[in-house]
Amino acid sequence: MRNKKNLRRVSWLVSAQTDWHVKKLAQMEGTTPGHIIDKLVRDRMLALQMGGLGK
């Protein structure tokens, strides 16, 4: 079994408020800001695929 993960190193330019909120969510979840961004994007894509329920 391969132990490779499908990961990319990226950087995003966000507002100070967004940065604060992402870091706060990461602290609440006990994870990293990268995992929070991944989770938010995944949830949004699922909502869009289910008929735009996220709008």
Side-chain angles (χ1 to χ4, degrees):
M1 176 186 258
R2 292 181 354 171
N3 198 16
K4 292 186 178 184
K5 296 182 180 179
N6 190 16
L7 301 175
R8 305 290 185 275
R9 186 172 303 275
V10 297
S11 71
W12 303 96
L13 184 63
V14 297
S15 69
Q17 185 176 12
T18 299
D19 181 52
W20 187 88
H21 285 294
V22 168
K23 287 178 180 175
K24 183 68 174 175
L25 285 169
Q27 182 183 29
M28 290 168 55
E29 293 282 328
T31 188
T32 64
H35 286 121
I36 297 299
I37 298 296
D38 190 43
K39 186 175 184 178
L40 290 170
V41 171
R42 192 177 324 115
D43 289 347
R44 178 65 175 157
M45 290 304 295
L46 284 173
L48 288 172
Q49 290 173 1
M50 295 185 68
L53 296 176
K55 289 186 179 179

